[in-house]
Amino acid sequence: MRGVPASPVFWIAFAAYYLALPASEWLIFRRLWNIPRAGFAALLRKLVSNEILFGYSGEAYFYGWARRHAKMAAAPFGAIKDVSILSAVAGNLVTLVMLALAWPVVGQVAPEFHGRTVALSAAVIIGLSLALLAFRHRIFSLSRPELRMIFGVHIGRLMLTTLLSGVMWHSALPAVSMGWLLILATLQLLVTRLPFVPNKDLVFASVALFLIGHDGAIGPLIAMIAGLILLVHIVLGAILTLAELATAHRS
């Protein structure tokens, strides 16, 4: 692929960024259900399904996988639901923090994004989070210690992936200012808040190209990373599907 960075730092950050979500969920379900190492492959399949097909189709797949492993999860729906909801709440909180950090920078680096756009984004995120918290006693199924553990893992994962995104962009384009990196990280978090949208990395690339334009190196870099992620989704999805079919045939 033309323009792919040769820096090993980029590729290490890219691999860690891609695996961060399934790895964090494996830690969560390891604590909840003591799932085996094979559960990591199921969580990879969940990630690929969500990104290639449509949002939350991966949760449906993982629910079926968990039901087939009933000795680990007698009632898996409640736990999967709570993990997904807390992921959204944690994402909203981290996005608000990034919006607050980016607010003074946006006015200087990209004034066309400042003001009403940022305020409206923050209002929508706060409204959704307050609605979830208002009905938390009816929504959540797990105990408070388990919910705190899940929320903490999600917060740590989001902070890590935001940092890894910055490392990828900076290693490929060291001349890009920190202000633009902060704006891009915030924009990426805003796009990931969109529900039922497959392949959010491609959506983020499209939005970034629209806002930044095709001139310069930032837009093509983001589009290239989104293309790499889509390629990994397709290859990994094919491998996991073939492995699952082979296992079913042997059974």
Side-chain angles (χ1 to χ4, degrees), residues 99 102-103 105-121 179-180 182-184 186-187 190 204 207-213 218:
L99 279 172
W103 179 267
V105 180
V106 172
Q108 301 174 4
V109 179
E112 64 273 18
F113 303 159
H114 203 256
R116 182 178 299 179
T117 302
V118 177
L120 180 61
S121 301
W180 267 115
L182 185 59
I183 291 172
L184 289 173
T186 305
L187 178 62
L190 284 170
F204 167 58
V207 173
L209 283 171
F210 175 76
L211 295 176
I212 299 171
I218 298 178

Side-chain angles (χ1 to χ4, degrees), residues 8-191:
V9 174
F10 172 87
W11 290 106
I12 292 171
F14 177 83
Y17 175 87
Y18 187 89
L19 296 174
L21 178 57
S24 65
E25 291 183 330
W26 186 85
L27 289 174
I28 290 171
F29 289 109
R30 179 76 172 178
R31 290 280 300 273
L32 294 177
W33 301 337
N34 194 30
I35 64 174
R37 294 178 181 178
F40 186 75
L43 290 166
L44 279 174
R45 179 71 179 272
K46 170 178 173 291
L47 169 65
V48 172
S49 297
N50 279 339
E51 294 300 321
I52 291 183
L53 300 178
F54 56 89
Y56 302 109
S57 62
E59 273 70 19
Y61 165 81
F62 188 64
Y63 173 74
W65 181 89
R67 287 294 300 269
R68 294 194 298 270
H69 297 74
K71 61 182 180 181
M72 296 183 307
F77 177 78
I80 295 173
K81 166 182 62 66
D82 288 0
V83 171
S84 298
I85 292 174
L86 285 174
S87 176
V89 174
N92 289 347
L93 177 61
V94 173
T95 302
L96 287 173
V97 172
M98 292 298 295
L99 279 172
L101 292 174
W103 179 267
V105 180
V106 172
Q108 301 174 4
V109 179
E112 64 273 18
F113 303 159
H114 203 256
R116 182 178 299 179
T117 302
V118 177
L120 180 61
S121 301
V124 171
I125 292 170
I126 292 172
L128 290 174
S129 299
L130 290 177
L132 288 172
L133 291 175
F135 296 98
R136 63 186 183 277
H137 298 297
R138 298 182 180 181
I139 293 175
F140 294 119
S141 307
L142 299 174
S143 65
R144 285 188 178 182
E146 291 172 328
L147 294 175
R148 284 195 294 267
M149 179 273 296
I150 295 168
F151 187 74
V153 172
H154 281 314
I155 290 291
R157 184 255 306 169
L158 287 162
M159 293 174 63
L160 176 62
T161 52
T162 302
L163 175 63
L164 289 170
S165 293
V167 170
M168 282 192 291
W169 300 330
H170 181 69
S171 64
L173 297 173
V176 176
S177 68
M178 291 302 297
W180 267 115
L181 293 180
L182 185 59
I183 291 172
L184 289 173
T186 305
L187 178 62
Q188 187 178 44
L189 284 169
L190 284 170
V191 171

